[in-house]
Amino acid sequence: MRRPGFNCGSGGRPIACLTPGDIEVLQRYWWGVALLMATASPLHAEERDYCPTRPGLGITPCTIAPKHVSVEVALTDWTLDNQPDRRTDALLGGDTAVRIGLTDSVEAQFGWTPYAHVRTRDKASQSVATAKGVGDATIGFKANLLHPDGAGLSIAVQPFVTIPVARVPLGAGNWGGGIIAPVTFDVTKALNLAATTEVDAAVDGDGMGRHIAYSEIAGLDIKIARTLSATFEAEVLRDEDPAGKTTQALASGSLAWRAKDTLQFDAGAVAGLNRAAPDVELYVGVSQRF
């Protein structure tokens, strides 16, 4: 549930165009983000190591220091879901998360996918359905309860709401939300254990109601060198959609390279471990603190 608002669905349903009202909302949103980024001043903020949420399946409990802004972008993200009756390829471009430090332990969060392309091929009829456009947006905040710099034992809670600015199958088609609870623990200076628990009020497949979905992620982060780290994770995700309940098992590996103190590049892969899970996901991204 790294992107709660993105829903590949089963394909075949057309995407509708954004209304002028949707466009106006998005314009105001990004102008607001740009204004906050322009006014953020690192000179007066608490000095703290940069802790991007990227890469990987889970999230970090550390928060951005006050008056700092973190912009984290998936430059390219491709997912293949090859089921017995269909094959779905989903490509995201510029999937963006903006984190704004409000206090020593609280940050505001905004997320949006400016481009998504979903191609679904029905294996029985060989028909192909495609959809492209924007994805859903998310807003929320993260409140750290212990060690906001992520040192030692760090714990946080992160509630969020998904805004249905996209249309099915590029979005969920309705409002959703949830809460995430990440925990990390430094075993040594080079070894970090992580766990992320998430519970969602996920949108039903028909877009008419909501149901519970929940997941647990366990991870191990290894600092290979001063500027290079590797993360290995496993996830179990249960979705109680009335149209069909599923349990997905996933494994992930990723690398992060710190080009400088405020700039990170990453790449990763996710593999499905059972039939219900997508087969593979590949991505590359970048994170910058201002």
Side-chain angles (χ1 to χ4, degrees):
M1 285 177 281
R2 295 169 59 218
R3 294 179 299 275
F6 185 77
N7 176 26
C8 293
S10 59
R13 287 184 285 184
I15 179 171
C17 296
L18 288 176
T19 66
D22 292 331
I23 295 173
E24 183 179 358
V25 168
L26 294 174
Q27 287 175 336
R28 290 179 179 177
Y29 163 69
W30 283 113
W31 274 114
V33 170
L35 179 62
L36 286 167
M37 291 175 62
T39 57
S41 174
L43 297 177
H44 303 289
E46 172 196 336
E47 289 303 321
R48 181 186 300 174
D49 288 343
Y50 182 32
C51 60
T53 291
R54 299 185 56 85
L57 298 172
I59 68 169
T60 56
C62 56
T63 53
I64 297 299
K67 298 184 180 180
H68 277 299
V69 175
S70 174
V71 179
E72 306 175 19
V73 182
L75 301 175
T76 303
D77 190 318
W78 170 72
T79 301
L80 167 65
D81 188 6
N82 193 16
Q83 297 294 332
D85 60 338
R86 68 183 186 278
R87 169 180 169 140
T88 301
D89 292 82
L91 179 66
L92 305 183
D95 190 21
T96 302
V98 178
R99 303 163 60 201
I100 304 166
L102 301 179
T103 72
D104 184 61
S105 58
V106 177
E107 67 180 33
Q109 299 181 336
F110 305 88
W112 186 50
T113 304
Y115 179 77
H117 183 281
V118 178
R119 180 184 185 274
T120 302
R121 177 173 62 86
D122 185 282
K123 293 183 178 180
S125 65
Q126 296 300 311
S127 62
V128 175
T130 61
K132 59 183 177 179
V134 302
D136 284 344
T138 60
I139 58 173
F141 69 90
K142 184 195 296 181
N144 184 278
L145 307 178
L146 184 66
H147 297 151
D149 61 353
L153 175 63
S154 185
I155 304 171
V157 291
Q158 179 180 311
F160 66 88
V161 174
T162 302
I163 306 171
V165 297
R167 302 292 187 267
V168 175
L170 301 182
N174 206 335
W175 293 82
I179 187 167
I180 306 172
V183 179
T184 59
F185 176 69
D186 291 329
V187 180
T188 67
K189 291 183 178 180
L191 188 64
N192 177 274
L193 299 177
T196 301
T197 302
E198 180 171 351
V199 179
D200 291 350
V203 179
D204 293 348
D206 60 9
M208 300 302 293
R210 294 166 190 81
H211 62 274
I212 189 171
Y214 47 93
S215 68
E216 185 65 38
I217 300 169
L220 176 66
D221 184 79
I222 304 172
K223 190 172 184 179
I224 301 173
R226 188 180 66 84
T227 60
L228 183 66
S229 62
T231 301
F232 303 95
E233 297 167 293
E235 177 180 16
V236 176
L237 186 157
R238 177 65 176 176
D239 192 311
E240 300 282 348
D241 193 323
K245 300 178 181 181
T246 60
T247 301
Q248 297 183 13
L250 304 162
S252 169
S254 59
L255 288 172
W257 173 57
R258 193 65 60 90
K260 57 182 182 179
D261 289 345
T262 59
L263 178 64
Q264 175 182 283
F265 295 93
D266 66 73
V270 182
L273 302 180
N274 64 350
R275 174 51 62 187
D279 293 77
V280 65
E281 177 184 5
L282 303 173
Y283 61 86
V284 294
V286 60
S287 302
Q288 172 79 62
R289 187 184 69 184
F290 298 90

